[in-house]
Structure formats: C-alpha cells, structure tokens
Amino acid sequence: MKLATLKSQTPDGRLVLVSRDLSTALDVGHIAATLQSAIEQWSAVEPQLQELSLALNTGELEAAFPFDPDSAAAPLPRAWQWLDGSLFLSHGELMQRAFNLDPIADADQIPLIYQGGSDDFSGPSDDIALPSEEHGIDFEGEFAVIVDEVPMGTVAQQALEHVRLITMVNDVSLRALAPREMNTGFGFLQAKPSSSFAAVAVTPDELGEYWHEGRIHLPLTIHWNGEWFGHPNAGAMHFGFHELIAHAALTRRLSAGTILGSGTVSNHDRTVGSACISERRAIDVIEFGEIRTGFMKFGDRIRIEATLPDGSAPFGAIDQQVVAACR
C-alpha cells in the first residue's frame, strides 16, 4: 500500500492512496483525513485502506484521479517527532580520516541519533529556499520509517512491529553552521533547515525482499545538476531501524507518527559515489590532499531516487531546486 499527502488549505494536507505505478490516487478522507490520523488508529483503518488499495491497483474505482507528485507535500507535512540517525559507519569513518576528527566512543555499539525540527517538512518538488550560499548548502540522501506508538522499553526484536511506513528523505544541511552547533553539545538547529520528503510512503510489504533485517536493500541514486553523484546501497546500514527504534525508546515512549531517519546512505566501496557533498569533500582530501568539490549554489538542482530492479521507483523522486529565500 502506498500513501501520500496532497497539499491543501490545511497544514496537514489531504490523505490519498496511490497506485503501485504512481499513476492514480484516491481520496480516503472518509477513513482518515490525514496521515497522522491514520497512523494513530492504524489497526482500525489499515484493513479498509488495504481493501481500497487493491481496488485502486486493479482499476476498479471510478473516483480515482491522476496522481501528480508536484502537488504532494511531505507524507507528514509536520510531525510530533523527527529523530535522525547516523547508521552508516563508513560515513563517519571517512569524515574522521579526512579531517582528523577523534572517533566517537562506542559508535559501532550504540546508534548515533539526534532530535531534529519536525514542525515544517517540505514536499518532493518544493524549492529549497535558504538565506545564503555561504552557509555551505548540502543535500543528504536518506531513508526513513514512520512508526505507530512505541512503548518505552521496546526491544529491537519487537521494534519492527511498529514500523508502518517507509519513505525517502533529503535531509538538507548547512555545513558552515554545523561545527559550532556540534561543539556546544546542544545539537543542530540553524544547520538543519526543513528536511524534504518523497511524495510517497509505502508499507514494508511493498518493498518485498528488499526490506529485511530492518534495512532497505536498495541503492539511493543521486543526481546533482543532472550529473550522477552516487548510488550507495542502503542495505549497508550498520544498525537496522529496529535497533534505532529500540535505542530511541529506551527511556520514553515514541508517539505515533514519529519519523526515524537512517542518516546519509554510505558504502565503503567508493566506486558507488556518495549521497552527500560533505562525504565527497572528505574523499577529495584523502585522494588529492585538498577539497575540490564546492557546496550547492542558488539555481542548483538535486534529484534523489530509489529504484527496484524493474526500474520502478516505489517512493517517487525528490527533485528540488535551491533558491534564495525571499526577505
């Protein structure tokens, strides 16, 4: 089953079902007006949504209409909580090696995670409006899961039972602002503007064999200004989403609608490229002794997409332009 949120006059948008080929959609407001509402009452609404999804995919519904990803907001335009991890050890190891950073103790035993701003997410085609190129504009290709309520103390072996949807993220980062915020020990704020999400969030069964062990075993393909930048495979996560969820829920429950991100998709194999500019700059330092890759400029475009072997894109694509914010 695939779900999306269309933009509307309300801040949480309008919930629709989307066909497997992303060609048609169906309004399901009579079942749940918003995705947040659906997640909060998942056990009650999921059977109804699945039944309609089957009919939508067989072309039986006259009420279906063409699905336009450009009209989509983020699946959750705002959320109670956004927790972003850093689950690919190869990314951290590269940064440490290139910039002589001290290794983080127990990073291979305890997932790294921070709590980000979740009050304002962008849709897959929305412009990335920012105040200055001098802030070091970077993209970060990630995957994320959306959970229902997770009780405090949930163990990893049970955590995947709470994963209701999977989606794709561009976690926009401002690298020039990040070092000070990291050094304060208080975490990111200015360095993390609104994250952008794919139009479609899918139930785990939609990924079939490519969802197992709490990981999405698909490459994430990045094009920057129309040129290939990388296609690292997300199956290389050191920690699975089940381990991240259990870590986050150790001392508190997670509200229904909490989103948890994987962090930048990264592989040890450098021939597959990267999912963020910062990692490419680290490779520059290692290979050439200097940084040769600049950050994004106003007018640049970023496209992020995950595809199955048959060429289909289960989440649609994130395709955005960086623009100067209106003052």
Side-chain angles (χ1 to χ4, degrees):
M1 180 168 64
K2 298 188 176 187
L3 294 164
T5 296
L6 298 184
K7 296 175 182 177
S8 72
Q9 298 301 312
T10 63
D12 297 305
R14 178 166 65 104
L15 183 63
V16 297
L17 275 169
V18 181
S19 61
R20 187 162 287 117
D21 64 2
L22 308 187
S23 66
T24 57
L26 179 72
D27 193 303
V28 291
H30 61 292
I31 297 174
T34 67
L35 183 57
Q36 179 63 37
S37 175
I39 294 292
E40 289 175 352
Q41 49 183 334
W42 191 258
S43 61
V45 305
E46 190 266 346
Q48 301 174 69
L49 293 173
Q50 285 284 13
E51 183 178 356
L52 284 175
S53 177
L54 178 62
L56 179 64
N57 281 303
T58 54
E60 300 174 9
L61 300 174
E62 292 183 1
F65 56 90
F67 177 61
D68 178 12
D70 291 343
S71 298
L76 285 171
R78 55 181 180 170
W80 294 117
Q81 185 160 225
W82 159 235
L83 302 174
D84 199 16
S86 183
L87 306 184
F88 295 86
L89 296 189
S90 57
H91 177 72
E93 291 167 359
L94 257 183
M95 306 306 289
Q96 292 163 16
R97 179 181 170 191
F99 302 115
N100 297 313
L101 303 175
D102 292 332
I104 299 173
D106 299 325
D108 60 341
Q109 301 295 319
I110 302 173
L112 297 176
I113 189 171
Y114 76 94
Q115 187 176 48
S118 59
D119 59 313
D120 180 31
F121 292 134
S122 298
S125 304
D126 292 343
D127 287 339
I128 302 171
L130 294 169
S132 174
E133 293 177 346
E134 301 303 314
H135 290 160
I137 304 167
D138 198 356
F139 50 81
E140 286 193 57
E142 306 186 14
F143 287 102
V145 298
I146 303 172
V147 297
D148 62 9
E149 183 173 317
V150 180
M152 181 173 66
T154 294
V155 296
Q157 291 85 345
Q158 299 172 343
L160 292 185
E161 299 171 8
H162 297 282
V163 173
R164 296 309 179 197
L165 296 166
I166 302 168
T167 190
M168 194 172 64
V169 189
N170 177 16
D171 184 42
V172 181
S173 298
L174 302 179
R175 301 299 188 182
L177 301 179
R180 180 190 175 277
E181 293 190 325
M182 293 175 69
N183 289 336
T184 66
F186 278 76
F188 299 120
L189 180 63
Q190 292 179 335
K192 291 290 186 178
S194 297
S195 297
S196 306
F197 285 75
V200 177
V202 310
T203 48
D205 60 286
E206 288 288 333
L207 299 182
E209 63 183 290
Y210 302 102
W211 167 253
H212 61 90
E213 299 176 329
R215 296 165 173 84
I216 299 102
H217 293 263
L218 291 173
L220 193 65
T221 302
I222 313 290
H223 285 88
W224 179 12
N225 291 331
E227 296 187 1
W228 176 87
F229 194 81
H231 60 266
N233 194 298
M237 281 169 61
H238 181 73
F239 299 100
F241 276 112
H242 55 306
E243 294 165 299
L244 185 67
I245 294 166
H247 175 76
L250 178 65
T251 59
R252 56 166 298 167
R253 70 179 180 89
L254 305 182
S255 297
T258 293
I259 309 171
L260 299 100
S262 67
T264 304
V265 178
S266 177
N267 293 173
H268 282 103
D269 178 4
R270 298 303 166 211
T271 66
V272 301
S274 299
C276 72
I277 299 171
S278 185
E279 185 170 291
R280 175 70 62 84
R281 286 161 66 92
I283 295 171
D284 286 348
V285 172
I286 293 168
E287 292 187 352
F288 309 114
E290 62 180 6
I291 294 173
R292 297 186 177 183
T293 308
F295 288 116
M296 299 185 83
K297 303 294 184 184
F298 295 146
D300 282 7
R301 295 201 69 90
I302 178 65
R303 182 179 177 87
I304 302 173
E305 191 171 28
T307 55
L308 296 170
D310 64 5
S312 63
F315 312 99
I318 297 173
D319 194 339
Q320 300 178 281
Q321 185 173 37
V322 180
V323 301
C326 296
R327 295 182 181 275

